[in-house]
Amino acid sequence: MPTDQDNPRVAGAGLGIDAGGTQTRWALAAPGGAILAEGTVDGLSALQMATPHGRDAVRATFERLAEAVLQHAHPVRVQAGLTGFGGDGELLQGWLAALLGVAPGDVTLCNDIEIAYRASFAPGEGYLVYAGTGSIGAFIDEHDVFHRAGGRGVVLDDGGGGFWIAREALRHIWRNEDERPGCWQESPMAHAVFEHIGGSDWAQSRQFIYQSERGTVGKLALAVAASAEHDPAARAILVAAGHELARLASALIARFGARPVALAGRAAELHPLIADTMRAALPPTTAFTRTGSRAHHAAARLALV
């Protein structure tokens, strides 16, 4: 296994982790901020820590991540942003410390949205709307206080996120089936959705939506987006997702005043309709940008601060 002595240029590296429901990204940064290496492993959520099965899955993902990271460097500090993280991270911190060979005090955990915000704006500069498996609007003010709009979880809301898009598609399909059994065969979106989940029986849809991890459900949004050019229902769902995301930004603007808005997250990249609809729904004077998924780079650099 490589060590810092084997490769001096990675001595003192910082490790950044951006863990979302569908994918976990990591990056190593050298002193000075240059990115030395990066990669991905399976998605995870801090919410999985509520069950033994979930804890086992998180631990296994951390093990794969550590194995990949240690092929490049032994980091000296770690900054990890985890979706669903609410502040109780002692066990997670201990796992990462042991797997990476650092002191627990050198592992800092926070919500993944805090990392994503700092990848887009300095505190007080603007508003981030993040659409991954879930969705949230975020603002870190000049005093480093975090403010949110949305981000309440996929059961309650998270409009415009991947899970929401998937749920809306299945809702549409099965409501139509209530009225006209078999009509799904006329719908390109239904064909794409059922191909993704493995069949057109209600039992398969029920098992998928109620028994899959939230990140797995969120990936169904890919099938919805892929059918948008041929199915008006899919297009309508993506337009509605754009309006949902605009609502988050509008709530922050109403509370804290006009500032630039950035849109990030994998769900936001599913189809141009989402960002285009969001932009059109915001006040015309609002500066609007789409940002790439580089929160793991920002986390790696924060680890060195």
Side-chain angles (χ1 to χ4, degrees):
M1 186 175 294
T3 68
D4 295 345
Q5 288 72 30
D6 295 330
N7 192 347
R9 77 181 175 89
V10 299
L15 172 64
I17 300 171
D18 175 32
T22 58
Q23 191 177 66
T24 298
R25 301 175 181 86
W26 62 266
L28 284 162
I35 299 300
L36 301 170
E38 61 184 305
T40 63
V41 292
D42 293 340
L44 64 87
S45 167
L47 300 175
Q48 292 175 265
M49 297 298 287
T51 67
H53 173 74
R55 289 192 291 274
D56 289 344
V58 171
R59 170 78 188 206
T61 300
F62 277 173
E63 289 173 351
R64 289 190 291 273
L65 184 150
E67 181 180 5
V69 167
L70 293 175
Q71 292 178 19
H72 301 276
H74 285 258
V76 294
R77 284 181 297 279
V78 181
Q79 175 78 51
L82 312 174
T83 187
F85 182 72
D88 183 13
E90 185 176 352
L91 183 56
L92 293 165
Q93 187 181 42
W95 285 349
L96 283 172
L99 290 167
L100 294 164
V102 301
D106 288 325
V107 178
T108 301
L109 304 180
C110 66
N111 192 284
D112 61 328
I113 303 305
E114 295 183 42
I115 298 294
Y117 182 92
R118 295 179 190 277
S120 302
F121 295 116
E125 185 179 5
Y127 305 121
L128 174 71
V129 174
Y130 191 90
T133 301
S135 67
I136 189 172
F139 175 51
I140 298 177
D141 67 21
E142 297 86 343
H143 306 291
D144 227 32
V145 177
F146 180 87
H147 305 274
R148 71 166 62 224
R152 314 296 179 185
V154 296
V155 174
L156 184 62
D157 194 350
D158 278 13
F163 189 105
W164 183 92
I165 291 170
R167 187 183 63 208
E168 290 298 298
L170 283 169
R171 187 202 309 268
H172 175 86
I173 291 166
W174 285 109
R175 284 189 171 189
N176 281 349
E177 285 299 297
D178 288 340
E179 298 168 5
R180 292 192 301 126
C183 69
W184 72 265
Q185 298 181 62
E186 305 165 8
S187 164
M189 181 177 74
H191 277 277
V193 164
F194 287 151
E195 181 179 357
H196 183 96
I197 66 177
S200 60
D201 291 340
W202 163 240
Q204 289 163 306
S205 290
R206 180 180 60 200
Q207 181 176 7
F208 178 81
I209 195 72
Y210 291 115
Q211 297 185 21
S212 299
E213 295 286 352
R214 56 195 289 273
T216 300
V217 174
K219 290 179 181 177
L220 181 59
L222 292 165
V224 180
S227 62
E229 300 307 313
H230 307 287
D231 195 315
R235 290 181 64 85
I237 289 170
L238 298 178
V239 167
H243 282 292
E244 290 288 337
L245 299 177
R247 187 193 72 83
L248 299 174
S250 297
L252 292 170
I253 291 170
R255 286 159 57 189
F256 302 107
R259 284 179 172 83
V261 173
L263 174 64
R266 297 188 75 196
E269 300 169 358
L270 287 170
H271 195 281
L273 273 173
I274 296 175
D276 291 348
T277 301
M278 180 180 174
R279 181 194 298 269
L282 293 173
T285 56
T286 303
F288 178 85
T289 57
R290 292 177 58 183
T291 63
S293 301
R294 292 292 181 266
H296 55 313
H297 290 188
R301 293 174 179 128
L302 282 172
L304 297 171
V305 175

